[in-house]
Amino acid sequence: MFKVRQTFMLAIPEDGTPQTVVARADDAIVISLPEDKNFIEGVEILFKVPAEVAQWMDSVSWAFYNGVKPEPTENRTDYRGKRTTVGTFGDLLSLNIKVPLSKSNNIKQDAYSVYIDDIPDFKNGKVFIRLQMSSKTAPASLAQSEFEITAKPIYVNRGRLFIKLLPPEGEQLKDTDIFIDGQEVKLDEGGGILVSPGIHDISVVSGSYRNEVRTVTVPQAKIENLEIKLRDITPTVRLALPVGTQAYCDGGRVEDTKKTLKLEQGRHSFRFVLGGYEISKQVDMVNGHNYTVSLNIDASVSEEE
């Protein structure tokens, strides 16, 4: 059991903007994480240490606690809990502490920060820190010194990409293969996947639809949505004909020559009649390709003396 002078509640908003409070020795700071922690792998806490505290080396300590009861509030001063990690500020004027949310993290450790190995209990989305006078020889006035404490989230170096495939109208989605930067991937149940931030090439390959290629930029620790409309693989034919031309395809009259035709893969015969002239053409069509059949009337001019 322990008692603090005052409890400061520091809540990090959903957009991750760093938040700051000013506290003294013998105060408690409770940091609350955003409700959505999908992209957060830790918390970075910066203490700006008063010069008088730095002069009295190791005069003030900091400590993390687990299982703090009762629930911390701004008006509460009496608590009980288990101290997990403790340290002092030494003679530093600032101290940076990195607190991971789990053992499986990619937080970089360096000589300028303290990395907490004994991870605090984040089940309630909060971390409890206590400041305390730790030197009996230091002047009592140090207890009035003010620390500036800033907290911000440490984001994973990933973004989530959601890919939504839309089949042609009236059809059920058939089997497709999705590739990201040339590597085949499997989406989760919600159609999402974690990727590194930056530009990615997306390819959709299928025997039932035309291949689709997109480029998308995925920001760090954010969600990017990509919607791809799939197109029928059936070959299409567009006719470009002079006015008054009668067109026939595989023996049948084409009533609307301005409408794009959908035909099966294979060879097809076209016949065009204009005035007293008749022209026939055969076209071999392949799935996933578009074709244009044009009928041109040309005139030649020659000069004679």
Side-chain angles (χ1 to χ4, degrees), residues 136-265:
K136 294 182 179 179
T137 59
S141 60
L142 289 187
Q144 305 300 315
S145 302
E146 294 184 335
F147 293 76
E148 186 178 294
I149 303 108
T150 301
K152 64 179 181 179
I154 301 174
Y155 290 109
V156 297
N157 192 34
R158 288 287 187 273
R160 183 172 291 277
L161 174 63
F162 284 97
I163 300 176
K164 185 177 182 179
L165 302 179
L166 301 176
E169 187 175 353
E171 296 185 13
Q172 294 291 328
L173 182 63
K174 300 174 184 178
D175 289 340
T176 57
D177 296 320
I178 298 176
F179 294 82
I180 298 180
D181 300 329
Q183 298 294 321
E184 186 174 4
V185 299
K186 297 296 182 184
L187 306 179
D188 58 29
E189 293 182 358
I193 186 171
L194 286 173
V195 296
S196 60
I199 300 174
H200 297 277
D201 295 322
I202 314 299
S203 302
V204 180
V205 179
S206 172
S208 303
Y209 310 107
R210 298 170 189 262
N211 294 344
E212 302 287 348
V213 178
R214 301 287 189 276
T215 298
V216 62
T217 300
V218 180
Q220 181 186 8
K222 294 186 181 297
I223 293 175
E224 184 69 21
N225 293 287
L226 176 64
E227 188 174 273
I228 300 177
K229 293 183 178 180
L230 300 175
R231 298 173 295 165
D232 197 328
I233 201 173
T234 304
T236 64
V237 181
R238 187 176 66 87
L239 302 178
L241 308 173
V243 176
T245 302
Q246 297 179 13
Y248 300 85
C249 178
D250 297 332
R253 175 76 179 267
V254 179
E255 299 297 338
D256 187 354
T257 57
K258 294 182 179 181
K259 184 179 180 181
T260 300
L261 306 178
K262 287 187 176 182
L263 302 174
E264 297 295 327
Q265 178 174 265

Side-chain angles (χ1 to χ4, degrees), residues 52-215:
E52 58 270 22
V53 172
Q55 290 174 1
W56 285 87
M57 183 182 298
D58 299 325
S59 57
V60 178
S61 64
W62 51 265
F64 288 84
Y65 283 77
N66 276 351
V68 175
K69 299 292 182 181
E71 183 71 17
T73 66
E74 290 183 348
N75 299 321
R76 188 160 283 152
T77 58
D78 292 287
Y79 298 101
R80 64 180 183 276
K82 179 182 179 181
R83 188 170 62 183
T84 57
T85 305
V86 64
T88 65
F89 295 100
D91 58 355
L92 300 175
L93 290 174
S94 67
L95 178 68
N96 198 54
I97 300 179
K98 294 180 178 179
V99 188
L101 267 64
S102 66
K103 289 290 185 182
S104 56
N105 66 80
N106 295 303
I107 296 177
K108 294 182 179 180
Q109 301 184 39
D110 53 61
Y112 307 101
S113 304
V114 175
Y115 179 87
I116 302 298
D117 288 306
D118 196 350
I119 299 172
D121 184 3
F122 279 98
K123 289 181 180 179
N124 61 354
K126 298 176 181 178
V127 58
F128 189 100
I129 307 171
R130 179 189 179 192
L131 297 180
Q132 186 179 12
M133 293 292 298
S134 57
S135 173
K136 294 182 179 179
T137 59
S141 60
L142 289 187
Q144 305 300 315
S145 302
E146 294 184 335
F147 293 76
E148 186 178 294
I149 303 108
T150 301
K152 64 179 181 179
I154 301 174
Y155 290 109
V156 297
N157 192 34
R158 288 287 187 273
R160 183 172 291 277
L161 174 63
F162 284 97
I163 300 176
K164 185 177 182 179
L165 302 179
L166 301 176
E169 187 175 353
E171 296 185 13
Q172 294 291 328
L173 182 63
K174 300 174 184 178
D175 289 340
T176 57
D177 296 320
I178 298 176
F179 294 82
I180 298 180
D181 300 329
Q183 298 294 321
E184 186 174 4
V185 299
K186 297 296 182 184
L187 306 179
D188 58 29
E189 293 182 358
I193 186 171
L194 286 173
V195 296
S196 60
I199 300 174
H200 297 277
D201 295 322
I202 314 299
S203 302
V204 180
V205 179
S206 172
S208 303
Y209 310 107
R210 298 170 189 262
N211 294 344
E212 302 287 348
V213 178
R214 301 287 189 276
T215 298

